[in-house]
Amino acid sequence: MIPLDINGKRQNVDLPGETPLLWTLRDELGLTGTKFGCGMALCGACTVHVDGQPVRSCITPISAVASKKVVTIEAVGADAVGKALQAAWVDKGVPQCGYCQAGQIMSAAALLKRTPKPSETQIDEAMNGNICRCGTYTRIRAAIKQAAAQQGGTR
Amino acid sequence: MSAPVDRVIVANVSRRRFLQGMSLGGLVLAVGYPSIARAQEAKKYGADGMPNGWVDNPLAFVSIAEDGTVTIVCHRSEMGQGVRTGMPMIVADELEADWKRVRVAQATGDEKKFGNQDTDGSRSTRHFFEPMRRCGAAARTMLEAAAAERWKVPVSEVEAKNHEVVHRATGKRLGYGALAKAAATQPVPARETLRLKDPKQFRYIGKGQLKLVDGRDIATGKAQYGIDTRLPGMLYAVVARPPVYGGKVASFDPAEALKVPGVERVVEIEASPPPAHFNPVGGVAVLARNTWAAMQGRRALKITWDDGPNAGYDSTAYKASLEESARKAGKVVRNDGDFTAAAAGAAGRHEAEYYVPHLAHATMEPPAATVRIANGKCEVWGCFQSPQAARDLVAKRLGMSADDVTVHVTLLGGGFGRKSKPDYAIEAAVLSKAVDGKPVKVTWTREDDLHNSYYHTVSVEHLEAGVDGQGKPVAWLHRSVAPTIISTFNPAAKNEAAFELGMGVINVPFAIPNIRIENPEAVAHTRIGWFRSVSNIPHAFAVQSFVAELAAAAGRDPKDFLLEVIGPARQVSPEMLGDTWNHGESPERYPVDTGRLRRVVETAAREAGWGRKLPKGRGLGIAAHYSFVSYIAAVVEVAVDDKGAITVPRVDMAVDCGATVNPDRVRSQMEGACVMGLGIATLGEISFKDGRVQQNNFDAYEVTRMVGTPREIRVHIIPGDYSKPMGGVGEPGVPPIPPALCNAIFAATGKRIRRLPIRDQLTV
Ligand code: FES
Ligand code: FES
């Protein structure tokens, strides 16, 4: 039994400790908002927060996050930064297919929490691990800037 | 991604004519049965030419609940193009519905009821704009008739306006909810009697004001994709597939796999020998309590493969063989004037060869499908561009009637042509059947996706020109050599099909008197399929690069030279160009309009500040291409540093796709096409060795990331007229990007790129 704290909910899962957090979330806990794209930390689709840090859940065994605070796309909107980002995403019409966008928002939220007023370069660097095959990057940048401005962080 | 060939085959499968509708709880208008009678004899174009054509019956698409909620069915698949917003918006506009009270429901795969659902070929809007308008207008008419009846006034005195019907004389009004029941019993008005809006009255169409219907769900993680399906008691499967096309399992040992915790079953899927069609390639499946356990189980399988005849497929050797073919005469597919004589008498000669490798769609959501079989019925959930094909082929494989198969279409996490082929649905069906109908979800990993795709073709384009004293081409030879998509259905096929030639090799509308287009043979050694923009990619890369090369040789401005090669504004019949396909559209309604092509070139150049002074290492390049009956030009600004690293600060794209329904989505499609086009130009390559794909994941098969994305992508939409035929949007943005980039690199560095991807070709 491994104790997990997902979006503030504590639960024990009966799985081998090396099971990646991604598949635990998606298949065992029904939190399918976190996406699979590569399984090798190459695309960012599976990004979640662990104790506030962005983490690729596809390569993170559940044994490594036991008792740590995991936040997924389903709950990132609970705070002001997440909420502002989600609103900016809708407002700027960022998504095309939308599949990568949960991971994008999780990476963006981690960025804004760390760096409330990111520069263009800081945005590009923080987001470079997140692939969008539909090519929505210019709107992702615009939405991050809008959310940052709304949070009082402009540059 | 247009699919004339496969659908011919798919359409042979018999289908029940009438199907139960989806039941939408609480809705008042019953789902009806479309009756369409159309002439069979004449050659059909547009939506008429597609299997099951179009349906404009409001009873199939619109339902109104007593609380006034209007539910509009979207029958096309959403893969990022915005169709779940665009199609219902057309209906809602004519219906005079208040968008805030509109819900969108996704159709199951059921073409008899909804019309053609193959979401490919950049054709949803141009094929369904008129039927969806009629659908909305008919429902509006029924509401008006119901109100007039209630008030006992002539119907001419009432008018539907913003979700209610108003009696002009008295100002009496009734909401759509209150009228729904009575409206449902009104006869569906005859098509000829419908009164469509004057486009000036549109409230949503063309305005670009509405947010995406799925935007909020996507941003909050609630949106459901094919890979997200979960059913009680479901098993999660991954499949070990033959690494070589046409290969099969020689033997396998499941023992170690079955020891992996969570693994429940190992099931062999029978191989389907080539031609691939949409069949699964076979292999060994591991079914487990979760995807990870299935993946671990697969790793523990011991399989010996019989690789079959394609085990020698090697991209380096294949490229050489394509080049050899391209240097010899091939099947003549267009011949204007006399190339040989004109070239012999020309003042100068030029020749160049261009190479574009295989590509994989690499949709962010890999293929995934779930099947459950119970009580003689089969249900399928998945991300399908062609849900009716999934339905028919699952039924065929299971030996069931298609009537007993229901295909639920989820959102697609990208399509790009990959998800037109429902091989993964058939896999899930085979596996569900093997476990007594229990629900089984098949998930493809990224490795699976890259190793067993339906790849974009690989091609060598050989061009020759004879030029006059001013350097202007008077003779043009283009030999295009590439394995054809038809080979996926007929292994004997070695020439490009009409629909591939009609993607920018045969139908170049250039003012050159002597044009010869040849298509030497090429044999396929893997599954070739539709990839966004299809053959337009290599054709446009070659043609638009070569025109720029000729401009450089003549010492001319590339934009002026391109306009001169296009020649004066005129309407060219596709038939005159030897193009019998014309993207499936009528040659009369859709001639090639060089005036429109000129205009996008001029617009992109003007907006980009063509001719502006740039610092050292920077350059502008231009390219234009006509595809999917739309006209697009791009100006790329490139910066090449002293180590040869490329960045693209800005791209300007001018688009003439006719009138638009949702201009914001036209923009977003162009932005995405630009990013994908840059990835094709700079990074993307699938290569084979010993019959196997050499790229496993996004580390080796690179796609554009944020750092490689232009700071600015500016999209300039040429205003259109709703009375004129519309063009496509999803695909035509891609082809001009690689040549515009390479032309910009030439301007910046003097180095000409003829082989994609560029990768480190500029590195010093
Ligand atoms: S799925 Fe984890 S980074 Fe791609
Ligand atoms: S929106 Fe489709 S992958 Fe990003």
Side-chain angles (χ1 to χ4, degrees):
Chain A
M1 283 292 189
I2 295 181
L4 294 178
D5 178 343
I6 314 285
N7 298 332
K9 193 171 157 205
R10 281 166 210 227
Q11 51 208 312
N12 290 318
V13 294
D14 185 13
L15 288 171
E18 68 270 18
T19 309
L21 178 58
L22 171 67
W23 299 110
T24 307
L25 291 170
R26 291 181 52 80
D27 296 352
E28 301 283 343
L29 305 176
L31 294 170
T32 54
T34 304
K35 300 302 190 213
F36 165 71
C38 69
M40 288 179 64
L42 297 168
C43 79
C46 65
T47 307
V48 300
H49 295 176
V50 175
D51 287 344
Q53 295 302 310
V55 158
R56 309 294 188 221
S57 64
C58 66
I59 54 151
T60 305
I62 46 175
S63 57
V65 297
S67 304
K68 294 189 179 167
K69 285 193 182 320
V70 175
V71 174
T72 70
I73 186 68
E74 285 89 351
V76 75
D79 68 33
V81 169
K83 206 190 216 85
L85 282 165
Q86 287 173 329
W89 245 249
V90 173
D91 186 55
K92 292 279 178 200
V94 173
Q96 286 184 34
C97 82
Y99 189 78
C100 72
Q101 301 296 347
Q104 305 279 3
I105 289 172
M106 296 309 288
S107 290
L111 166 68
L112 291 192
K113 283 174 192 182
R114 197 167 64 233
T115 314
K117 306 177 191 180
S119 66
E120 298 265 2
T121 315
Q122 284 171 320
I123 294 176
D124 279 15
E125 278 166 7
M127 301 303 293
N128 209 43
N130 287 79
I131 293 175
C132 175
R133 187 63 168 143
C134 298
T136 64
Y137 302 113
T138 50
R139 293 194 192 215
I140 291 173
R141 286 183 188 134
I144 293 175
K145 283 188 233 166
Q146 175 167 311
Q150 213 182 55
Q151 294 295 297
T154 36
R155 224 189 220 212
Chain B
M1 284 183 270
S2 326
V5 181
D6 52 300
R7 289 314 304 267
V8 169
I9 300 158
V10 171
N12 283 337
V13 182
S14 69
R15 292 176 202 155
R16 191 173 72 172
R17 279 179 52 77
F18 181 75
L19 295 144
Q20 296 162 276
M22 10 162 286
S23 51
L24 294 164
L27 299 172
V28 175
L29 284 189
V31 174
Y33 178 65
S35 63
I36 319 161
R38 267 172 274 136
Q40 295 296 313
E41 316 80 47
K43 183 164 181 194
K44 293 173 179 175
Y45 298 109
D48 288 329
M50 295 299 294
N52 296 305
W54 47 268
V55 169
D56 62 358
N57 184 349
L59 301 180
F61 286 94
V62 182
S63 43
I64 304 176
E66 279 172 301
D67 70 357
T69 303
V70 169
T71 300
I72 301 175
V73 173
C74 176
H75 72 299
R76 309 288 287 178
S77 297
E78 179 61 80
M79 48 191 174
Q81 78 281 45
V83 78
R84 273 171 53 89
T85 306
M87 287 285 123
M89 183 197 294
I90 300 167
V91 178
D93 203 319
E94 284 287 355
L95 178 58
E96 268 297 312
D98 175 6
W99 187 250
K100 290 196 284 297
R101 302 168 76 184
V102 171
R103 299 287 167 274
V104 176
Q106 188 67 33
T108 58
D110 190 346
E111 293 193 351
K112 283 282 183 260
K113 185 165 149 194
F114 300 109
N116 183 270
Q117 293 180 273
D118 287 342
T119 313
D120 57 21
S122 300
R123 59 176 147 232
S124 290
T125 306
R126 75 175 193 269
H127 283 187
F128 292 95
F129 183 61
E130 294 300 335
M132 290 302 108
R133 285 183 73 184
R134 292 195 297 268
C135 223
R140 186 222 311 134
T141 307
M142 290 160 79
L143 287 157
E144 288 173 338
E149 210 170 85
R150 180 89 50 97
W151 294 322
K152 300 191 174 51
V153 299
V155 74
S156 59
E157 292 182 8
V158 308
E159 187 183 10
K161 199 99 208 146
N162 197 25
H163 232 84
E164 51 188 19
V165 180
V166 185
H167 182 228
R168 271 188 297 266
T170 60
K172 271 192 292 204
R173 48 191 66 219
L174 277 169
Y176 282 5
L179 289 167
K181 210 171 214 161
T185 63
Q186 294 290 327
V188 174
R191 192 169 293 133
E192 319 72 67
T193 66
L194 290 174
R195 181 175 41 84
L196 296 181
K197 279 185 174 179
D198 180 330
K200 285 200 247 346
Q201 300 170 307
F202 286 155
R203 23 188 311 152
Y204 307 124
I205 295 169
K207 306 287 186 260
Q209 299 298 323
L210 302 182
K211 301 296 177 207
L212 291 171
V213 298
D214 299 306
R216 186 82 213 155
D217 282 351
I218 288 168
T220 53
K222 290 196 195 77
Q224 290 288 305
Y225 296 84
I227 203 171
D228 296 332
T229 305
R230 293 174 87 244
L231 296 171
M234 183 176 85
L235 290 171
Y236 296 78
V238 296
V239 183
R241 297 177 187 81
V244 178
Y245 175 46
K248 56 179 193 280
V249 177
S251 65
F252 75 101
D253 177 1
E256 292 302 312
L258 288 165
K259 286 185 201 155
V260 172
V263 169
E264 303 204 1
R265 284 285 298 272
V266 172
V267 177
E268 184 174 355
I269 301 178
E270 205 190 317
S272 327
H277 195 261
F278 294 163
N279 294 312
V281 292
V284 182
V286 178
L287 284 61
R289 75 172 265 188
N290 62 49
T291 314
W292 173 251
M295 286 159 66
Q296 296 305 101
R298 179 170 73 174
R299 202 162 290 166
L301 283 173
K302 290 193 180 57
I303 306 175
T304 310
W305 300 105
D306 172 354
D307 286 342
N310 292 313
Y313 189 32
D314 179 296
S315 289
T316 309
Y318 195 72
K319 177 170 181 278
S321 78
L322 290 180
E323 285 165 353
E324 202 184 309
S325 305
R327 288 165 199 167
K328 292 192 286 243
K331 181 180 166 192
V332 179
V333 290
R334 178 178 165 197
N335 200 9
D336 297 358
D338 185 340
F339 169 80
T340 313
R349 297 283 297 260
H350 298 279
E351 185 178 317
E353 249 166 43
Y354 304 88
Y355 178 75
V356 180
H358 285 301
L359 300 166
H361 319 75
T363 54
M364 279 314 289
E365 176 199 31
T370 306
V371 169
R372 174 171 68 193
I373 308 164
N375 309 320
K377 307 272 181 201
C378 170
E379 279 188 285
V380 185
W381 290 260
C383 41
F384 305 122
Q385 284 180 247
S386 185
Q388 183 70 53
R391 184 184 195 194
D392 292 337
L393 294 171
V394 163
K396 190 173 164 203
R397 181 63 73 112
L398 295 178
M400 293 173 79
S401 156
D403 301 352
D404 293 324
V405 177
T406 305
V407 174
H408 305 279
V409 182
T410 63
L411 291 179
L412 281 62
F416 312 127
R418 174 62 186 90
K419 293 172 183 171
S420 293
K421 301 101 176 173
D423 50 336
Y424 45 104
I426 304 170
E427 289 179 337
V430 169
L431 296 177
S432 174
K433 191 176 179 184
V435 293
D436 306 320
K438 246 194 232 169
V440 175
K441 173 164 71 180
V442 170
T443 297
W444 287 45
T445 62
R446 182 59 55 200
E447 290 81 0
D448 299 341
D449 175 48
L450 296 181
H451 292 172
N452 287 99
S453 188
Y454 286 78
Y455 304 94
H456 172 71
T457 190
V458 46
S459 74
V460 168
E461 310 287 330
H462 174 99
L463 284 105
E464 292 181 27
V467 298
D468 67 14
Q470 279 73 53
K472 209 185 152 198
V474 293
W476 174 276
L477 170 76
H478 184 161
R479 275 193 211 114
S480 177
V481 199
T484 171
I485 291 172
I486 306 290
S487 63
T488 298
F489 306 92
N490 168 13
K494 297 188 184 77
N495 285 105
E496 292 183 41
F499 71 86
E500 289 161 319
L501 296 169
M503 290 187 179
V505 58
I506 197 170
N507 56 338
V508 286
F510 290 167
I512 301 174
N514 304 287
I515 294 185
R516 188 177 172 92
I517 315 283
E518 295 179 11
N519 174 226
E521 294 184 347
V523 177
H525 297 289
T526 186
R527 302 198 291 188
I528 309 291
W530 294 268
F531 173 105
R532 185 185 198 178
S533 314
V534 203
S535 304
N536 289 291
I537 295 169
H539 295 157
F541 174 58
V543 168
Q544 292 294 308
S545 296
F546 194 55
V547 169
E549 293 206 40
L550 297 179
R556 298 279 311 279
D557 174 79
K559 185 259 298 177
D560 294 343
F561 191 84
L562 174 58
L563 288 171
E564 218 170 283
V565 170
I566 294 167
R570 64 205 186 280
Q571 310 242 321
V572 186
S573 158
E575 284 153 344
M576 289 279 295
L577 304 173
D579 179 10
T580 55
W581 178 59
N582 200 35
H583 289 85
E585 301 295 348
S586 144
E588 285 78 39
R589 270 166 59 81
Y590 286 93
V592 181
D593 187 332
T594 55
R596 293 174 72 184
L597 191 56
R598 291 182 64 92
R599 185 154 165 207
V600 290
V601 170
E602 285 159 353
T603 304
R606 185 181 64 243
E607 296 291 340
W610 185 259
R612 74 187 133 101
K613 191 116 184 69
L614 290 165
K616 190 172 167 296
R618 290 215 179 195
L620 294 180
I622 193 164
H625 190 69
Y626 166 71
S627 63
F628 304 95
V629 292
S630 286
Y631 302 79
I632 300 191
V635 173
V636 170
E637 179 182 343
V638 77
V640 185
D641 73 13
D642 46 13
K643 296 203 180 53
I646 302 168
T647 48
V648 177
R650 171 173 160 185
V651 175
D652 284 80
M653 298 175 80
V655 190
D656 180 353
C657 58
T660 60
V661 167
N662 192 353
D664 183 59
R665 286 303 99 182
V666 176
R667 275 173 214 291
S668 72
Q669 281 302 295
M670 293 305 136
E671 292 158 6
C674 174
V675 169
M676 187 175 270
L678 291 174
I680 290 168
T682 57
L683 299 166
E685 174 163 26
I686 290 288
S687 59
F688 289 78
K689 195 165 174 52
D690 301 325
R692 289 155 168 80
V693 170
Q694 291 179 289
Q695 292 74 23
N696 296 329
N697 210 314
F698 285 122
D699 46 355
Y701 186 66
E702 290 186 77
V703 299
T704 312
R705 292 172 181 269
M706 191 174 275
V707 166
T709 297
R711 193 63 44 216
E712 262 188 295
I713 302 171
R714 305 186 352 149
V715 179
H716 313 284
I717 301 174
I718 308 284
D721 175 344
Y722 290 101
S723 67
K724 302 255 170 68
M726 291 174 156
V729 170
E731 294 167 271
V734 176
I737 298 295
L741 173 67
C742 293
N743 292 341
I745 289 170
F746 180 79
T749 65
K751 178 143 172 63
R752 174 55 61 182
I753 301 285
R754 293 190 181 130
R755 171 171 53 87
L756 297 186
I758 300 166
R759 218 175 277 146
D760 57 4
Q761 290 180 60
L762 296 170
T763 310
V764 283

